[in-house]
Amino acid sequence: MRILIGKLLQRISYKQSIGRRAFCTKKIVDIGQPTPSSHPQLMKEGELTPGITLEEYILRRKRLLEVLPENGLAIIAAAPVKMMNDVVPYTYRQDADYSYITGCQQPGGLAILGHECGFCMFMPEPTPQDVTWQGQTAGVSAALEVFKADKAYPMSKLREILPDIMRRSSKLFHNVQTAVPTYMQLDAFQKAVTSGGVKDVSVLTHELRLKKSLAELRLMRESASIACQALLQTMLHSKTHPYEGMLSAKMEYECKMRGAQRMAFNPVVGGGPNASVIHYSRNDQKIKEGDLVLMDVGCEFHGYVSDLTRTWPPCGVFSSAQEELYDLILQTNKECVKLCKPGATIRQIHNFSVDMLQKGLKEIGILKDSRRNSHQLSRSYYQLNPTSIGHYLGMDVHDCSKVSYDHPLTSGTVITIEPGIYIPLFSDIPERYQGIGIRIEDEVLITDTGCEVLTGSIPKEVKHIESLLNNFHHGMMESRGSQEIPSS
């Protein structure tokens, strides 16, 4: 009987293998990054990167050409590889402008865009040894066939071809953040610098990137959803594992298990007085019983990032002093979100938040009412909160940095709203408030009629947080679904 079953299984296995071979007639070409044929689980036909179609990339190039001055030339280099030591590179992340225009997620390339030359790419030329150690990369053929460049050349041809293109252009725009000697040392570029004919291309690309397309917003919603689900699990984990490092690791694990490629930045996990350090990154301390923990976190999902912050007591109960400050920050968060609508500016929302927080801190007794010296009051306040109320968000955490905070918000723009208070130990603040840091940060999408809070699924009300931590445990939440939160 065993022999018959064994022979039957062999026949089935043979037939299945023949069937698989029969349908695998198309050779899948590896270009060093996902394509619909190599990664059908990630991409649909017609997409150049997950979630973004080739047509959208072509439209982006057209829009950049439209804002380029007549006879202007844009030069955008890929992000360089950064090394941890002499042989180990850091995980590579593409420059946002290069990725936005080309769709290429690999180092070593240079993109040129001009009214006369069109969209041109200079591509790296890996050696057989490079391929052996690092794998296949996109070359000239991929630039033409996949990224749909009008022209493409190996990087070795740059000195022969690019100077003529530069000389025929009256104004050069290049990416200052990724500028490389390969083109900067060319005489044509140096002459343009001397004559004042070189500017930062980011003044153009950041304006284009500010308003997100429907495809971009789908990716940003998913990035926010992943971060919210991960942070919810991490909040539950904090009850039994009150260690900054463990919570950081838990957050990263939960994000990646839900499809995020990486964290948007090193998680800020500040327990107790560490929360008063705005960009605290050591994450090496145990969180004391009764202390708050502030977690500022975000992940990246196919090139688009999330950014949110919650502050809570892992023990499950806010003290009276903690709740008093927390409620002020929470109400400021809510009121600022109400101001998020087309036509408003981040600066206006920031100024409103400063007035509201100053008033609240005076009522609590943390700031002294100094009507005769408003400068002293302002200085005292900014020592406790030197941050802006928010920033633009998209492909980078502080996205579109060349766009002013006085720029009117429009539908399709995503910003953060993140009021906070950061009181160090051993200050002249009443002792019961010393060592408390609180920030509540949400992602807000500006819509035609107002706004949508993309991080609204993660609790921020005191009663919801305390109910979550005291009535649910980690295993229960995992079994019931990671998006469930206690009702009010």
Side-chain angles (χ1 to χ4, degrees), residues 447-462:
T447 65
D448 290 335
T449 56
C451 69
E452 174 189 347
V453 179
L454 301 182
T455 47
S457 65
I458 190 81
K460 60 183 177 184
E461 299 286 345
V462 168

Side-chain angles (χ1 to χ4, degrees), residues 138-175:
V140 170
S141 61
L144 294 169
E145 297 166 14
V146 179
F147 304 117
K148 298 302 179 183
D150 298 316
K151 300 173 186 175
Y153 308 96
M155 192 60 71
S156 59
K157 294 283 188 179
L158 184 138
R159 288 182 171 274
E160 177 185 330
I161 295 168
L162 186 55
D164 285 340
I165 300 175
M166 286 182 174
R167 280 190 284 267
R168 293 196 299 270
S169 305
S170 58
K171 187 76 70 175
L172 303 183
F173 293 82
H174 76 132
N175 191 337

Side-chain angles (χ1 to χ4, degrees), residues 34-178:
T35 63
S37 58
S38 68
H39 290 69
Q41 74 277 16
L42 289 182
M43 300 174 64
K44 299 176 183 177
E45 285 298 326
E47 291 181 346
L48 183 52
T49 56
I52 308 291
T53 63
L54 173 62
E55 285 76 9
E56 184 158 329
Y57 280 97
I58 292 172
L59 179 61
R60 292 172 179 180
R61 298 162 195 169
K62 182 181 177 182
R63 290 173 61 212
L64 179 54
L65 274 176
E66 288 172 352
V67 296
L68 264 179
E70 186 178 353
N71 211 28
L73 184 72
I75 305 169
I76 307 176
V81 174
K82 296 179 180 179
M83 301 300 292
M84 187 180 300
N85 55 45
D86 59 341
V87 295
V88 180
Y90 285 102
T91 300
Y92 185 73
R93 184 181 191 267
Q94 187 57 276
D95 171 74
D97 280 342
Y98 186 84
S99 180
Y100 184 79
I101 296 299
T102 69
C104 181
Q105 305 302 309
Q106 302 165 62
L110 190 73
I112 310 294
L113 194 68
H115 296 283
E116 183 182 330
C117 65
F119 175 53
C120 174
M121 296 182 76
F122 289 89
M123 303 301 285
E125 304 165 88
T127 65
Q129 187 178 17
D130 292 332
V131 174
T132 298
W133 285 88
Q134 298 163 9
Q136 293 289 346
T137 57
V140 170
S141 61
L144 294 169
E145 297 166 14
V146 179
F147 304 117
K148 298 302 179 183
D150 298 316
K151 300 173 186 175
Y153 308 96
M155 192 60 71
S156 59
K157 294 283 188 179
L158 184 138
R159 288 182 171 274
E160 177 185 330
I161 295 168
L162 186 55
D164 285 340
I165 300 175
M166 286 182 174
R167 280 190 284 267
R168 293 196 299 270
S169 305
S170 58
K171 187 76 70 175
L172 303 183
F173 293 82
H174 76 132
N175 191 337
V176 174
Q177 297 297 319
T178 60

Side-chain angles (χ1 to χ4, degrees), residues 223-224 226-232 234-235 244 247-252 255 262-270 278 280 283 293-300 305-310 312 391 393 397 416 418 439 441-443 455 458:
S223 182
I226 289 170
C228 285
Q229 294 173 53
L231 185 54
L232 187 64
T234 305
M235 290 174 74
E244 294 170 350
L247 299 186
S248 177
K250 177 67 173 175
M251 183 71 196
E252 183 168 358
C255 283
R262 57 172 67 87
M263 302 308 289
F265 49 89
N266 188 49
V268 174
V269 189
I278 296 167
Y280 175 78
N283 301 345
V293 61
L294 182 156
M295 282 196 69
D296 186 344
V297 293
C299 65
E300 182 175 327
V305 302
S306 48
D307 186 10
L308 67 151
T309 306
R310 291 294 184 265
W312 73 91
H391 52 81
L393 190 70
V397 178
T416 64
E418 48 183 302
R439 179 162 65 252
E441 178 182 16
D442 282 304
E443 292 179 32
T455 47
I458 190 81

Side-chain angles (χ1 to χ4, degrees), residues 157-266:
K157 294 283 188 179
L158 184 138
R159 288 182 171 274
E160 177 185 330
I161 295 168
L162 186 55
D164 285 340
I165 300 175
M166 286 182 174
R167 280 190 284 267
R168 293 196 299 270
S169 305
S170 58
K171 187 76 70 175
L172 303 183
F173 293 82
H174 76 132
N175 191 337
V176 174
Q177 297 297 319
T178 60
V180 289
T182 312
Y183 71 84
M184 291 182 69
Q185 292 176 351
L186 296 173
D187 288 342
F189 186 85
Q190 289 300 315
K191 287 179 181 177
V193 171
T194 303
S195 64
V198 177
K199 293 187 177 181
D200 191 343
V201 75
S202 296
V203 300
L204 305 178
T205 54
H206 286 195
E207 286 279 358
L208 299 179
R209 285 167 42 196
L210 188 63
K211 180 180 174 67
K212 307 299 186 287
S213 69
L214 292 177
E216 290 178 298
L217 289 176
R218 281 193 291 270
L219 293 173
M220 292 202 69
R221 281 194 175 91
E222 185 62 22
S223 182
S225 175
I226 289 170
C228 285
Q229 294 173 53
L231 185 54
L232 187 64
Q233 293 295 328
T234 305
M235 290 174 74
L236 292 165
H237 199 67
S238 71
K239 193 85 183 278
T240 53
H241 298 82
Y243 295 87
E244 294 170 350
M246 288 186 182
L247 299 186
S248 177
K250 177 67 173 175
M251 183 71 196
E252 183 168 358
Y253 167 80
E254 295 290 348
C255 283
K256 290 186 174 179
M257 287 298 290
R258 287 168 170 77
Q261 285 71 54
R262 57 172 67 87
M263 302 308 289
F265 49 89
N266 188 49

Side-chain angles (χ1 to χ4, degrees), residues 344-363:
T345 69
I346 290 180
R347 184 93 58 203
Q348 291 171 350
I349 301 170
H350 172 76
N351 291 339
F352 173 86
S353 73
V354 171
D355 291 341
M356 186 170 178
L357 288 173
Q358 281 186 345
K359 181 176 181 293
L361 292 171
K362 283 191 292 184
E363 292 173 354

Side-chain angles (χ1 to χ4, degrees), residues 308-322:
L308 67 151
T309 306
R310 291 294 184 265
T311 309
W312 73 91
C315 68
V317 180
F318 286 84
S319 71
S320 59
Q322 291 168 351

